[in-house]
Amino acid sequence: MTETVTTPTVRSAAAPPALGTLGLFTVLLAASLPLVDFFIVNVALPTIGADLHASEAVLELVVAGYGVAYAVLLVLGGRLGDLFGRRRLFLGGMAAFGLTSLACGLAPGAWSLVAARVAQGASAAAMLPQVLATIQATTTGPRRARAMSLYGATAGLSMVAGQILGGVLVAADIAGTGWRSVFLVNVPVVLAGLVLATRAVPETRSQRPEPLDGPGTVLLALSLLTLLAPLTEGRAAGWPVWTWLSLAAFPGVASAFYAVERRADRQGRTPLVPPSLFALTSLRRGLVLMVPFSIGFSGFMFVIAVALQRGAGLGPVPAGMALAPMAVAFLVVSLAGPRLVARYGTRVVTAGSLVQGVGVALIVLAAWRDWPDLGFVELLPGAAVAGAGQALQLPVVMRIVLSEVPAARAGVGSGVMVTTQQSALALGVATLGTLFLSLVPGHGMRDALVTTLLVQLAGVVLTGLLSLRLPRTIR
């Protein structure tokens, strides 16, 4: 009798706090906000430029300022969550995201909008790593697999939905707010999220928190800045000397960062990005695959938004809605992902790259054949097939990356993964966007679009080849 009473008590005390259905919904809602906001401005940029009399270089800063600040601070956000409590950082980051979104929506000029976007990216970096770390620390087994699949589905859907929502909000001109509504819409969502989070998201933290890694934080920030800043601003600024000096400095700064982190790891301390973490095969190979996938994803979203509005003459709503088949297909197929992975393992990722490649090829054919009459109907087959292929890749790869990361390093692992993803998203806009805009004057919009899409198709082939090196099963 005594044993039956005490046994569950001991287990309950030892068990980690559980993340319920409402808590999972809340953290996934928060996870969608930063990704929606990365893409929501794509279709709003022409309206922002006209209203604020902003140059193309300043408009690129509206996108790049957010993305760079977000990428630079993500790993630090994960470490702070491990140290001070993930729920606390989650609530603080979400509140700051709401306030900075309000500042973006009320910005009186272009440069104040850029400053608010940088602050918004920093707020997102405090909030988002806590989502994955909380899932890792509060779920196990099938519940974790389901939660990670839903996170991956939320991430992919948010990227497409952000672009669609941006077009709808700009055209709706709610209460005369115009483009400002793409930022102001975050405020009520954040308020609802804060209420839900205080009730449903449990507090977790690392059992053995380590002090902050000052040198590592500075060197990681410098590494990302020396790479992303010139690539995102170089073309619009005319490639001044500072862009080339910055790119030349990147290898040296990145090498210094690695050396500092390796030394700290060998001395038994926990650096910002522990090199020993990359000994995990699933994490290392998953991150390598995530880079070309994310570059292609974000580059496509940026290029198609510009091509449909400036080249095909579509308004914000038709330009956004042209991608609706991609969002619908992504949602439907991602729901079937866990069952497919349980049956076929990580070969689902390989199949997804093949399907996505067919979809991109269909979009290339439509652009070549139907330009400039390119819209919802012409893009429907290719967008739907590409969305289905993406849904078979992104959620699964995210599960693979974090599958072997111990709970004590959940914040660090999630920060590394999201930093890799966000940096690659920024690189996609910078590289494929720069390629497309550079080709337009000499080759015309159609040929520039087709060429850029063919480069993306090569990236899809690369992800397919890299997927063959993934572990066959997910732990």
Side-chain angles (χ1 to χ4, degrees):
M1 181 69 177
T2 303
E3 291 180 1
T4 58
V5 173
T6 56
T7 299
T9 303
V10 172
R11 287 178 182 171
S12 178
L19 185 68
T21 301
L22 184 60
L24 180 60
F25 170 81
T26 303
V27 295
L28 292 180
L29 175 68
S32 70
L33 289 174
L35 288 169
V36 166
D37 264 58
F38 186 85
F39 290 93
I40 200 169
V41 299
N42 280 349
V43 293
L45 285 176
T47 309
I48 294 173
D51 185 39
L52 299 182
H53 308 290
S55 66
E56 186 178 352
V58 175
L59 287 177
E60 288 199 6
L61 276 177
V62 172
V63 178
Y66 174 87
V68 172
Y70 185 24
V72 163
L73 297 173
L74 272 165
V75 177
L76 178 61
R79 171 60 64 83
L80 291 173
D82 286 349
L83 277 169
F84 301 112
R86 291 154 188 152
R87 181 176 180 269
R88 181 181 300 177
L89 261 291
F90 178 79
L91 290 170
M94 180 179 275
F97 190 85
L99 290 173
T100 52
S101 295
L102 181 64
C104 289
L106 300 179
W111 285 107
S112 59
L113 176 59
V114 170
R117 283 284 281 174
V118 171
Q120 190 186 33
S123 302
M127 174 178 64
L128 189 64
Q130 318 317 325
V131 173
L132 282 167
T134 297
I135 291 174
Q136 288 290 99
T138 59
T139 59
T140 57
R143 282 184 59 82
R144 178 180 293 180
R146 175 175 173 270
M148 286 302 302
S149 295
L150 288 173
Y151 175 86
T154 300
L157 190 60
S158 297
M159 294 186 227
V160 184
Q163 203 136 312
I164 298 172
L165 181 61
V168 172
L169 288 173
V170 170
D173 194 21
I174 302 169
T177 54
W179 60 267
R180 298 178 186 274
S181 61
V182 305
F183 302 112
L184 296 175
V185 70
N186 291 331
V187 177
V189 177
V190 165
L191 291 174
L194 288 171
V195 172
L196 292 173
T198 55
R199 297 180 56 188
V201 177
E203 179 65 282
T204 63
R205 68 182 71 202
S206 176
Q207 294 180 350
R208 292 181 295 175
E210 297 284 342
L212 293 179
D213 176 12
T217 300
V218 172
L219 287 170
L220 176 62
L222 287 175
S223 298
L224 292 173
L225 283 171
T226 53
L227 176 65
L228 295 178
L231 288 178
T232 52
E233 281 298 296
R235 188 199 60 83
W239 297 105
V241 173
W242 73 264
T243 59
W244 298 109
L245 292 176
S246 182
L247 288 172
F250 168 71
V253 178
S255 298
F257 169 70
Y258 178 75
V260 167
E261 299 298 272
R262 184 177 60 178
R263 186 183 307 117
D265 214 8
R266 288 177 173 176
Q267 291 174 351
R269 294 181 283 119
T270 301
L272 189 70
V273 180
S276 58
L277 204 61
F278 292 90
L280 301 174
T281 302
S282 55
L283 181 138
R284 184 177 66 252
R285 293 182 180 178
L287 289 180
V288 169
L289 188 150
M290 186 176 287
V291 170
F293 177 88
S294 298
I295 287 174
F297 201 128
S298 64
F300 169 80
M301 299 295 285
F302 176 81
V303 167
I304 202 70
V306 174
L308 291 179
Q309 289 190 88
R310 295 185 189 175
L314 299 183
V317 172
M321 292 305 295
L323 297 177
M326 180 177 287
V328 172
F330 192 104
L331 176 62
V332 172
V333 175
S334 63
L335 295 176
R339 292 192 299 274
L340 293 172
V341 171
R343 183 170 182 179
Y344 300 108
T346 59
R347 289 298 173 258
V348 169
V349 180
T350 307
S353 65
L354 291 172
V355 174
Q356 185 190 3
V358 171
V360 174
L362 289 173
I363 294 173
V364 170
L365 182 62
W368 178 265
R369 182 187 58 203
D370 299 319
W371 187 266
D373 300 318
L374 197 62
F376 178 89
V377 174
E378 292 77 17
L379 290 174
L380 192 154
V385 174
Q390 290 162 347
L392 293 173
Q393 296 174 83
L394 184 60
V396 182
V397 172
M398 287 183 166
R399 280 182 58 189
I400 292 169
V401 169
L402 296 178
S403 60
E404 296 180 291
V405 176
R409 287 186 163 182
V412 177
S414 61
V416 169
M417 186 187 77
V418 181
T419 297
T420 302
Q421 181 193 32
Q422 183 60 38
S423 300
L425 290 175
L427 275 174
V429 174
T431 54
L432 293 181
T434 296
L435 172 65
F436 171 71
L437 294 172
S438 299
L439 290 173
V440 168
H443 297 81
M445 191 73 74
R446 186 195 71 169
D447 289 355
L449 176 60
V450 168
T451 301
T452 306
L453 289 174
L454 288 174
V455 172
Q456 186 202 353
L457 185 58
V460 174
V461 173
L462 177 60
T463 61
L465 295 174
L466 291 172
S467 71
L468 298 174
R469 301 184 69 246
L470 294 173
R472 291 299 299 267
T473 58
I474 304 175
R475 295 185 182 180

